[in-house]
Every structure is written in structure tokens, then in C-alpha cells.
Amino acid sequence: AREIRSIAPRPVALQPPFGLLLVSGDHTHQPGYAEALLRGDRCRAVAMTDQSDIAPRRRRLNEQMATRLGIPVLPLAAALNRDDVHVVSICAEPIRRGSIIVQALDAGKHVYLDKPLAGTGDDTETVVAAAAKSPVVTQMWSLVRSAAAHHMQQAVQTGCLGDLSAFHADLCFAKGTPGTAQLAARREAAVPERYELVDSKRELTNVGVYCLVSLLWLTG
């Protein structure tokens, strides 16, 4: 991957509560992210938004979460143009995510991002380039704040295990009720029409990203 250095000025300091815009609602990681971001007095929810051509099911799930939080559902461009929106939490499906992130960055909004950043390598590089020139704070969900990562960091920094010369990580988890998945051969393409399936995910970008981010974070 090519290296992209930031050319943006430092972010302007803001005082809480920060106005929070949610992109995509229920049946994503958004409910958990929103609960954490809205805890205490750090943020206040401003609106729910998404692209205009989303599927009826996604529209219904967005409206469902917005109703629960007591916030309006606004068109994407109008929501990003609001002066009272400071932070955008983006949980749209990965194949749709890249262009939304770039829109938010171009609008000068801080972004909290579900992983992975985008559905293709090209989209990911576009996101990184947009972040490099925008004076905002960006963060993608990862495991670097977990207890396991803290222990790894201590081991590396103290040298108690010697010098770091290699990195091996195993990450295993299961979802759903055992025996209920209807498994079949999955046809893959370089640019998938559907990024995530109920029975499985694209392994490196959806699961392996945890290990890769941990390695980059540990080694600086």
C-alpha cells in the first residue's frame, strides 16, 4: 500500500457535548457505538441519515433506531451540512461505506468508523487520502483498547519477553445458534455485490483486520 502523509492542519478543539450524526441504524454495530458515544455528556444525538437509494429493509431499520432515540431521519447531504453535527458514526455496509466516509471528511466532520474502512482497496485508499487532507479526528473500531492488547503493549514496552521479532495472532469467534447455518459454496469476486453474508464474512478484512491493526499499533 502506498504511504499517504497528512497535509491537513491540526483539528480544531471542540467542547462537549458534540453533535452526533448516525449513518445506518439497527442490525449493524451502530446501536452499540451510539450507546457508548452518548453515555454521559460527551455527545448528543442530532439525526440519523443514509444514502437515498438504500434498500427498504435498511430504510426501515434506520427509522426504527431513530424513533427509539427520538431523532429525525435526514438526507445525507443535508445532515452533513449541519453546523451542529461534529461527529459522524458510520456503519453503512462496507461496499457502500467508502463514499460516505469521504463525504463526511470533505464536510469537515470527525468520523468514528466501523471496520473495515471500505469494501475495496481503491475505496480504502480514497478514504485515507481524504483523511490526510482534512483537519479532523478519525478512528476505526478495533481491539487496541481491550485487556489483551493492553497486556501485549506492556510486554513489548517493558521488554519482559525480549525484543519483538515476529507477530502471530489467532482470532476465533462464533455467531448464531449452532447448526442453523445453511452453508453452500460462496462465489467470490474482486468487487463483491454483497460484502457480508449471514453464514460467513470476508475473512481478512472483517476478522483479520483486528490482528493487523493490533500489530501496527504495537509497533508504531
Side-chain angles (χ1 to χ4, degrees):
R2 59 191 177 90
E3 182 179 9
I4 301 176
R5 296 184 180 276
S6 176
I7 57 175
R10 292 178 61 83
V12 176
L14 298 172
Q15 294 300 318
F18 310 116
L20 177 65
L21 176 66
L22 306 175
V23 180
S24 292
D26 282 343
H27 214 270
T28 68
H29 291 132
Q30 193 72 276
Y33 294 165
E35 179 183 359
L37 291 167
L38 294 172
R39 191 175 298 140
D41 299 323
R42 293 179 301 173
C43 295
R44 64 176 187 84
V46 173
M48 172 74 68
T49 189
D50 213 325
Q51 294 171 315
S52 60
D53 57 348
I54 54 176
R57 177 179 179 273
R58 170 48 46 208
R59 191 179 306 280
R60 184 173 66 254
L61 290 169
N62 291 353
E63 293 171 350
Q64 176 178 289
M65 184 173 176
T67 299
R68 193 166 65 249
L69 292 176
I71 56 177
V73 179
L74 302 177
L76 181 59
L80 289 175
N81 283 331
R82 290 179 63 116
D83 292 335
D84 58 350
V85 168
H86 309 113
V87 181
V88 185
S89 176
I90 301 175
C91 286
E93 293 85 351
I95 204 63
R96 299 194 297 116
R97 193 172 295 165
S99 62
I100 298 175
I101 297 172
V102 171
Q103 281 183 263
L105 291 171
D106 288 346
K109 308 302 182 183
H110 305 286
V111 291
Y112 188 82
L113 308 172
D114 196 15
K115 59 83 191 173
L117 285 181
T120 68
D122 288 344
D123 280 353
T124 301
E125 290 203 349
T126 302
V127 167
V128 174
K133 65 181 183 182
S134 182
V136 298
V137 174
T138 65
Q139 182 175 343
M140 185 187 75
W141 166 257
S142 72
L143 296 178
V144 301
R145 299 301 180 195
S146 67
H150 176 69
H151 292 314
M152 288 192 294
Q153 185 185 53
Q154 282 189 318
V156 171
Q157 290 180 345
T158 62
C160 65
L161 298 179
D163 295 332
L164 179 65
S165 59
F167 182 89
H168 174 89
D170 287 318
L171 182 66
C172 180
F173 65 92
K175 290 186 175 183
T177 304
T180 61
Q182 300 296 316
L183 299 178
R186 181 176 64 184
R187 287 184 174 274
E188 282 287 17
V191 180
E193 293 183 5
R194 292 184 61 199
Y195 195 88
E196 297 172 312
L197 303 178
V198 173
D199 57 347
S200 61
K201 295 183 176 182
R202 296 170 75 85
E203 288 79 7
L204 181 60
T205 52
N206 274 64
V207 181
V209 65
Y210 288 127
C211 305
L212 292 173
V213 169
S214 297
L215 171 60
L216 294 171
W217 174 73
L218 279 171
T219 60

